[in-house]
């Protein structure tokens, strides 16, 4: 029973900051990749950031330089530090995790998802 629960969302003015958290249970962070997605009303879900088992990170062009992804394996928690927020960042943010295989590898697919947390940035 893998569960991911996001928290930290809320309303903030443009230029402000928020830090999102994703707490995991039944899953070992560090074994496979994890990431953050977001979906705004009327838009497709988009990948925001990922972090691999070796610590390698990726960011979408729209958030690069403003957002930072990190992971605490001991606390089994994924984070997304969001700075210099823009109104365009308004969306529901989801954390996701790659599935583990019986052999101990990774599927290469984000099969586990959190329920989402709303981030609203106003001008």
């Amino acid at each position: 029973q893998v569960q991911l629960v996001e928290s930290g969302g809320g309303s903030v003015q443009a230029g402000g900051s928020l830090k999102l958290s994703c707490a995991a249970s039944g899953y070992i962070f560090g074994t496979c990749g994890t990431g953050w997605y977001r979906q705004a009303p009327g838009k497709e879900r988009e990948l925001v950031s990922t972090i691999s088992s070796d610590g390698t990170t990726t960011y979408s062009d729209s958030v690069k330089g403003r957002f930072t992804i990190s992971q605490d394996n001991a606390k089994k928690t994924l984070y997304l530090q969001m700075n210099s927020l823009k109104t365009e960042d308004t969306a529901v943010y989801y954390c996701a995790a790659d599935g583990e295989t019986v052999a101990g590898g990774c599927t290469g697919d984000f099969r586990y998802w959190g329920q989402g947390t709303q981030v609203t940035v106003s001008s």
Side-chain angles (χ1 to χ4, degrees):
Q1 289 290 110
V2 176
Q3 292 183 309
L4 304 177
V5 180
E6 302 97 335
S7 62
S11 298
V12 65
Q13 290 188 320
S17 299
L18 285 174
K19 187 173 184 178
L20 306 183
S21 298
C22 173
S25 62
Y27 189 86
I28 303 176
F29 276 88
T31 300
C32 300
T34 54
W36 289 92
Y37 285 79
R38 67 185 181 185
Q39 186 167 26
K43 293 187 176 182
E44 296 291 324
R45 183 182 64 189
E46 64 173 330
L47 179 63
V48 175
S49 181
T50 66
I51 183 167
S52 67
S53 59
D54 66 357
T56 301
T57 59
T58 69
Y59 298 93
S60 67
D61 290 339
S62 62
V63 308
K64 190 172 297 182
R66 299 187 298 118
F67 291 9
T68 303
I69 189 171
S70 62
Q71 184 171 284
D72 188 324
N73 294 336
K75 295 182 178 179
K76 301 175 67 174
T77 303
L78 179 70
Y79 303 98
L80 184 68
Q81 178 65 52
M82 310 164 69
N83 297 326
S84 301
L85 284 163
K86 304 175 180 179
T87 56
E88 302 89 87
D89 296 318
T90 295
V92 176
Y93 284 71
Y94 302 88
C95 64
D98 191 0
E100 298 176 329
T101 66
V102 176
C106 306
T107 67
D109 181 32
F110 287 132
R111 61 172 59 186
Y112 302 118
W113 296 84
Q115 85 289 349
T117 185
Q118 177 71 48
V119 172
T120 302
V121 184
S122 63
S123 60

